[in-house]
Amino acid sequence: MTSQPLIDADRLWTRLMALAEIGATPAGGVNRQALGDGEIAAWRRVIDWAGEAGLTPSTDAAANLFLTLAGRDRTAPPLLLGSHLDSQPTGGKFDGAAGVMAALEAVVSLAGQGEKPMRDLIVVAWMNEEGSRFAPGMMGSEAFTGERGLDAIRAARDADGISVGEALDRLHAAFPDLPHRSLGFAVGAYLELHIEQGPVLEAADCTIGVVSGIQGKKTFQVVVEGSEGHAGTLAQSERRDALAAFARMASALHAEIGTIDADIKFTIGRVAVVPNAPSVVASRVSFSIDLRHPDNAVLDAAGARIKTLCQETAPPCSVTVTPLVDAPSNVFDPRLRASIAKAAREQGHSAMAILSAAGHDARHLAKVCPAAMIFIPCRDGASHVEHEWAEPDHVAAGAAVLAQVLCELAFAPAIEG
């Protein structure tokens, strides 16, 4: 096995900040929506950086971007590492992007040593992790792992009525010479670095989070149907007010589901009212529900109550509750977690086990191969905001730990999970 690659911390930070210029917002954040012009520009820049080190780019039918350093045995299951390049509309510089750039730096640093790894090393940027433009998120990793069919993914539309299929075709047309590989292939292991998106590491003054797993998540789309009416002439007793029904539902849901225990996370994040006019009784309300908990039994029980509570509080309106995401809590590979902890210890970084409260593409990869995540702190635990921030030293430390674990796997005769 070759010696541990030494990452170039300055190169990593410079590239990360350069990437943040694509979709930069006036307040210092990033708005780089999935499959949009910003992501196309980000692809071009990342592909150029990878090409400088001899990595070859490719994509698949779901517009996942792959950057490959060829190994000695091209038939061996490759190592994947990366994250995503899309952001929230008022997102930050680090969510997703830090993971892709750390992965690229780890592979580029290893390539610079001149010795070919035993197997291919592939940096990946997954399509639409955020679910901001197209809901739900993690479309690329779900398509790759077979969690969701590509036809269903292509049919989803954004707020402007543009389908994922149309946006996918447009992105692929921007890279006519980019080779396409099969949608889904055998993977030896998957690694992902990410900012914590929470306050635990910072509060503990800890540099490296060894992620034990990801808490479970369910999402729902709820549509309440009533009838329009004149606000000045329609008697209260005759109204089928969809907005009033929504208010009852929201109150009941928060009162019961939102108070189950200290670990429950219940959110109504998006509400749309029709016709949304000041003097018209609302005829239709659609809203989203995001439900999370680390215990799958609690999560399932809470999820089962949502439809009942909505139906009980809907009359005289009607309601339809559609489940969208059902992602149980998972546990990451214990051997990879031990390797991360060992690398952190050997490099002199403080480390601790931590559960991810947010979802990540690694959740889906863990179903098809050994997978693990490395967390680094973010200031005040803030993420999905424009003032999101990670210290350069922490980014470099996480990338160095990632590089050491990658090196150990890259030259191993076999990968055991």
Side-chain angles (χ1 to χ4, degrees):
M1 184 182 73
T2 191
S3 60
Q4 175 192 335
L6 297 174
I7 68 158
D8 186 330
D10 290 337
R11 178 174 60 192
L12 169 58
W13 185 259
T14 298
R15 287 178 171 178
L16 184 55
M17 292 302 102
L19 190 62
E21 295 172 0
I22 301 174
T25 65
V30 173
N31 179 10
R32 194 165 52 233
Q33 295 300 294
L35 304 176
D37 289 341
E39 188 158 45
I40 290 173
W43 271 39
R44 294 194 191 283
R45 187 162 296 184
V46 173
I47 288 172
D48 285 346
W49 287 330
E52 294 172 5
L55 278 65
T56 58
S58 60
T59 187
D60 61 15
N64 296 310
L65 175 63
F66 304 101
L67 307 164
T68 302
L69 176 66
R72 282 174 275 167
D73 183 358
R74 303 302 305 277
T75 65
L79 301 178
L80 258 63
L81 61 163
S83 192
H84 60 95
L85 293 172
D86 63 315
S87 79
Q88 292 291 325
T90 53
K93 298 179 175 72
F94 302 90
D95 180 0
V100 176
M101 299 317 298
L104 181 61
E105 179 59 35
V107 174
V108 167
S109 297
L110 191 149
Q113 296 186 175
E115 185 180 350
K116 266 195 171 186
M118 184 73 71
R119 55 189 51 79
D120 286 2
L121 309 182
I122 304 178
V123 177
V124 59
W126 302 109
M127 185 270 287
N128 187 38
E129 191 272 353
E130 293 290 358
S132 169
R133 180 184 179 190
F134 300 105
M138 302 187 206
M139 287 181 172
S141 58
E142 284 196 331
F144 182 87
T145 58
E147 284 288 304
R148 201 167 355 152
L150 187 59
D151 288 344
I153 289 172
R154 287 180 62 91
R157 295 183 180 274
D158 66 11
D160 296 322
I162 299 171
S163 70
V164 171
E166 292 166 337
L168 277 172
D169 294 343
R170 180 173 178 269
L171 181 142
H172 283 143
F175 299 89
D177 299 325
L178 196 63
H180 281 234
R181 60 191 305 158
S182 63
L183 181 58
F185 49 84
V187 178
Y190 176 71
L191 299 169
E192 182 170 351
L193 177 144
H194 209 282
I195 58 171
E196 181 198 341
Q197 300 184 287
V200 176
L201 291 176
E202 185 181 56
D205 194 23
C206 187
T207 301
I208 300 296
V210 183
V211 185
S212 58
I214 301 175
Q215 72 172 342
K217 175 182 178 180
K218 294 179 185 287
T219 67
F220 303 83
Q221 181 68 25
V222 184
V223 179
V224 186
E225 299 283 0
S227 300
E228 288 185 22
H230 192 296
T233 61
L234 186 63
Q236 294 292 135
S237 61
E238 297 177 3
R239 296 186 180 193
R240 295 180 66 244
D241 187 336
L243 189 58
F246 161 70
R248 292 191 296 272
M249 288 177 201
S251 179
L253 289 165
H254 276 287
E256 179 173 328
I257 307 297
T259 60
I260 287 175
D261 61 25
D263 291 326
I264 198 76
K265 302 291 189 301
F266 174 82
T267 304
I268 295 175
R270 178 181 291 173
V271 180
V273 181
V274 176
N276 202 28
S279 298
V280 182
V281 175
S283 61
R284 189 174 191 267
V285 173
S286 59
F287 64 99
S288 66
I289 292 175
D290 184 306
L291 178 67
R292 308 188 195 210
H293 198 280
D295 186 319
N296 287 324
V298 176
L299 182 68
D300 289 342
R305 283 290 292 158
I306 286 175
K307 183 176 182 180
T308 300
L309 286 172
C310 288
Q311 290 174 333
E312 289 175 351
T313 52
C317 297
S318 61
V319 63
T320 302
V321 180
T322 304
L324 298 178
V325 171
D326 186 1
S329 294
N330 75 289
V331 176
F332 286 128
D333 184 78
R335 295 192 185 197
L336 291 180
R337 285 156 51 193
S339 295
I340 293 168
K342 173 176 170 287
R345 183 172 62 252
E346 291 178 352
Q347 294 182 25
H349 303 304
S350 55
M352 63 181 286
I354 185 171
L355 176 72
S356 176
H360 301 282
D361 292 302
R363 179 202 297 276
H364 301 297
L365 272 295
K367 299 172 185 176
V368 299
C369 69
M373 293 190 72
I374 298 167
F375 273 176
I376 58 172
C378 55
R379 182 187 295 161
D380 299 326
S383 183
H384 286 189
V385 292
E386 291 169 292
H387 62 273
E388 173 186 275
W389 184 257
E391 294 297 329
D393 288 349
H394 291 157
V395 175
V401 169
L402 177 68
Q404 181 170 333
V405 176
L406 172 69
C407 188
E408 293 173 357
L409 295 172
F411 293 94
I415 300 172
E416 298 180 1

